[in-house]
Amino acid sequence: MENVFYYWILWGAWIIAAFFLKKSIRRTMISAVILVCIASGEMFIEVSSFSLRVSFILALCIGYYLASECKRKVYHFFSVMTLTSAYAGIHLFEIFDPVWFIVDRFFVIISVISILAIYLGKSMPERIGLLVLSMSQGELLFWVILGKFHDGLTIGTADYLNMAAIGCFIVCAWTYLEQIMASFNQQAQKSAKGKQA
């Protein structure tokens, strides 16, 4: 199975959403979206000379939804364009000049896009929106450019799904770690003030 990281990470996310989040419509929606993404992992739609993976289209829609919820629209737009260019640029750079890549592009893309999404976003939905939308648009841009030279390409490859899933995992883990550190910081400040009083 090519996209093993994609399935494992989404399955873990579904378990967390279904059993650990508070009961609400939001929890139901998150669980349903994750299950649809898992179910559509191997479904394709033929468009002209391209083959589109259905989970890629869902990721693109999720990215646009999260972007529409963002309050800083102009900032978010330029951040997404920067990350989209980085994603497509790394792919194209690897094709045209592979000598420079000591580390596999898979790890380079995950590292660069995840770090930039964490740095540019403030909240978890904003960071995930940045990551998912920029990777989806970057994947689309990359394959549209390659489509001028080749036919029968698949937009939303297994590599893309794995990178998006791992990137989302990194963003979520980092955001939760920040929240835990902030709560520890608050507790330490409260105890320090209590000792001074």
Side-chain angles (χ1 to χ4, degrees), residues 108-143:
V108 173
I109 289 173
I110 291 170
S111 305
V112 169
I113 303 296
S114 299
I115 290 168
L116 287 173
I118 289 167
Y119 178 73
L120 295 171
K122 298 293 181 201
S123 63
M124 188 182 307
E126 190 176 343
R127 288 173 174 174
I128 290 176
L130 273 171
L131 183 118
V132 170
L133 186 57
S134 59
M135 287 184 84
S136 300
Q137 289 184 161
E139 178 83 353
L140 186 63
L141 177 63
F142 172 65
W143 289 112

Side-chain angles (χ1 to χ4, degrees), residues 27-164:
R27 180 186 86 163
T28 307
M29 291 302 295
I30 290 171
S31 299
V33 167
I34 292 171
L35 282 177
V36 170
C37 287
I38 291 170
S40 63
E42 292 300 320
M43 294 180 186
F44 297 90
I45 297 172
E46 298 294 326
V47 179
S48 182
S49 61
F50 289 104
S51 180
L52 281 165
R53 195 180 293 257
V54 173
S55 51
F56 166 79
I57 298 167
L58 287 170
L60 197 59
C61 292
I62 290 166
Y64 284 128
Y65 171 76
L66 291 172
S68 71
E69 295 289 309
C70 184
K71 293 175 183 174
R72 307 178 300 165
K73 299 272 193 255
V74 176
Y75 176 81
H76 194 77
F77 172 77
F78 283 111
S79 298
V80 167
M81 289 300 111
T82 302
L83 293 177
T84 299
S85 303
Y87 182 90
I90 292 169
H91 269 295
L92 291 170
F93 191 71
E94 190 221 7
I95 287 174
F96 294 116
D97 202 0
V99 176
W100 287 95
F101 278 84
I102 299 166
V103 180
D104 186 17
R105 69 163 164 77
F106 186 87
F107 300 109
V108 173
I109 289 173
I110 291 170
S111 305
V112 169
I113 303 296
S114 299
I115 290 168
L116 287 173
I118 289 167
Y119 178 73
L120 295 171
K122 298 293 181 201
S123 63
M124 188 182 307
E126 190 176 343
R127 288 173 174 174
I128 290 176
L130 273 171
L131 183 118
V132 170
L133 186 57
S134 59
M135 287 184 84
S136 300
Q137 289 184 161
E139 178 83 353
L140 186 63
L141 177 63
F142 172 65
W143 289 112
V144 165
I145 291 169
L146 278 193
K148 294 178 180 178
F149 310 106
H150 303 285
D151 286 333
L153 299 174
T154 300
I155 299 175
T157 60
D159 266 356
Y160 157 78
L161 292 180
N162 286 328
M163 286 189 283

Side-chain angles (χ1 to χ4, degrees), residues 176-192:
Y176 279 126
L177 189 64
E178 279 181 345
Q179 291 171 357
I180 291 167
M181 294 301 286
S183 67
F184 277 141
N185 233 358
Q186 286 177 351
Q187 291 297 329
Q189 286 175 356
K190 282 181 185 177
S191 64

